[in-house]
Amino acid sequence: MTTTLGLLPDEAAARFLTTGVLENGEALPFLAIDQMSAPAPWEAEPVRQLFDEAMKRFTPAERTSADAWLAPVLHATLRLTRREASDPRIWNYLSVRLAPDYVYWRHLSRGNPPRVSRTRFSGPFHSQAFARLWWAAELFRDGADYGPVVAACGNQDVLNTVLRLEVILHRPTAQAIIRLLADDVVRTGRQVNTLAQAVNTAGTTLSYEAYAPDNPRDVDAYRDWVEELGAVLVPYDSLPTGPSDGRARQTSVDALTALFKQLLADIPSAREMPEWS
């Protein structure tokens, strides 16, 4: 295993993601990948250990449950600025070079033949195997509290639908959605998708910011958290502590929770519909 992570460009990743690789029938050429990757300053071993631990803790039948455990510890271990996390090259490297075995374990379909979607290796942040977990942790945490992240990542419809919405860049909106999950107001996948559509249709991020303003994030506290990693042991058996850059404004979360409840009440299809209907 490499000692540090790298940055693998999209075009290089695409070259290596052949049909044989996507079907897990052809080995990835690690030497060639290393030659096409730029060096990055983050240590590889602590990140690689997370994926090994996830595959130990969860059976293949429980693989979706790994998301809720892995997202907070990945975010707390791979401490990136949002600018760094917006660079797809880091996520390409993690999936194609550092831990393709985890991508197969988590995302290999049960089709004939079994296959991993290309976007799980190299794709948008809301689809890529590791980017989606890191960004879910970043967007759904409430300051230092990763509890809302566990709720978000424990529901695949939140990861597959809500994470795509621009409105969750507004922290009170993200927290209000998770509160509806925690309060069991939204239970089924159909209800989650209906809520996501309603929230997205009701207003843009700007309008929610006007209706329910947020507290400013403490960017210096976030930067300090990024830089302190060398002195921190990220726990596996309890939630780690995120950056103390401030919680979402609770009065705004309350207001949006009430608004979203009303939106759901006004949509007949959202009322007590079973998952299979």
Side-chain angles (χ1 to χ4, degrees):
M1 185 182 72
T2 59
T3 58
T4 61
L5 300 180
L7 304 173
L8 181 65
D10 284 342
E11 58 273 18
R15 180 183 305 179
F16 297 123
L17 295 175
T18 64
T19 298
V21 166
L22 296 176
E23 295 177 355
N24 198 18
E26 176 184 320
L28 281 158
F30 288 152
L31 180 59
I33 293 169
D34 288 340
Q35 292 172 342
M36 300 192 71
S37 298
W42 304 286
E43 291 186 16
E45 184 176 1
V47 180
R48 175 66 233 195
Q49 287 176 346
L50 298 181
F51 308 139
D52 290 335
E53 182 68 21
M55 290 187 286
K56 291 177 184 177
R57 285 176 176 250
F58 301 93
T59 68
E62 301 168 326
R63 58 184 182 168
T64 59
S65 299
D67 293 344
W69 179 83
L70 183 56
V73 293
L74 176 61
H75 187 269
T77 300
L78 186 57
R79 299 193 178 186
L80 307 172
T81 66
R82 287 193 176 188
R83 179 184 294 274
E84 290 167 338
S86 297
D87 186 344
R89 295 180 300 167
I90 181 65
W91 308 117
N92 291 339
Y93 188 87
L94 261 60
S95 62
V96 178
R97 177 61 176 90
L98 185 71
D101 57 326
Y102 185 87
V103 182
Y104 291 127
W105 178 84
R106 174 61 184 85
H107 293 290
L108 192 66
S109 74
R110 295 180 172 87
N112 187 19
R115 182 183 176 95
V116 174
S117 169
R118 183 179 299 272
T119 60
R120 297 302 190 185
F121 282 103
S122 180
F125 80 94
H126 51 75
S127 298
Q128 205 275 348
F130 302 122
R132 71 186 192 117
L133 299 179
W134 192 97
W135 278 104
E138 172 64 12
L139 296 175
F140 287 113
R141 66 181 174 85
D142 194 11
D145 181 12
Y146 283 119
V149 178
V150 176
C153 295
N155 187 302
Q156 291 300 303
D157 290 282
V158 172
L159 283 176
N160 294 335
T161 302
V162 178
L163 190 59
R164 299 170 182 260
L165 303 181
E166 185 178 349
V167 292
I168 64 164
L169 293 171
H170 180 237
R171 296 191 302 169
T173 296
Q175 292 306 311
I177 291 172
I178 297 307
R179 185 178 292 181
L180 293 180
L181 279 173
D183 292 347
D184 213 26
V185 174
V186 175
R187 295 184 294 275
T188 69
R190 190 184 190 98
Q191 289 173 334
V192 170
N193 292 331
T194 299
L195 174 63
Q197 293 171 7
V199 168
N200 202 44
T201 301
T204 63
T205 301
L206 181 61
S207 67
Y208 284 138
E209 287 173 349
Y211 179 80
D214 192 13
N215 298 320
R217 294 175 66 232
D218 186 339
V219 295
D220 291 332
Y222 189 93
R223 173 59 71 177
D224 290 343
W225 178 80
V226 168
E227 294 177 351
E228 76 177 5
L229 179 59
V232 173
L233 179 64
V234 176
Y236 284 179
D237 295 317
S238 61
L239 282 179
T241 300
S244 299
D245 55 354
R247 299 184 66 192
R249 187 177 296 185
Q250 293 305 297
T251 54
S252 293
V253 177
D254 293 341
L256 288 173
T257 300
L259 173 63
F260 297 161
K261 281 184 180 179
Q262 187 59 50
L263 290 177
L264 281 173
D266 292 340
I267 301 173
S269 64
R271 298 175 191 156
E272 301 300 326
M273 297 193 74
E275 183 77 36
W276 43 262
S277 59

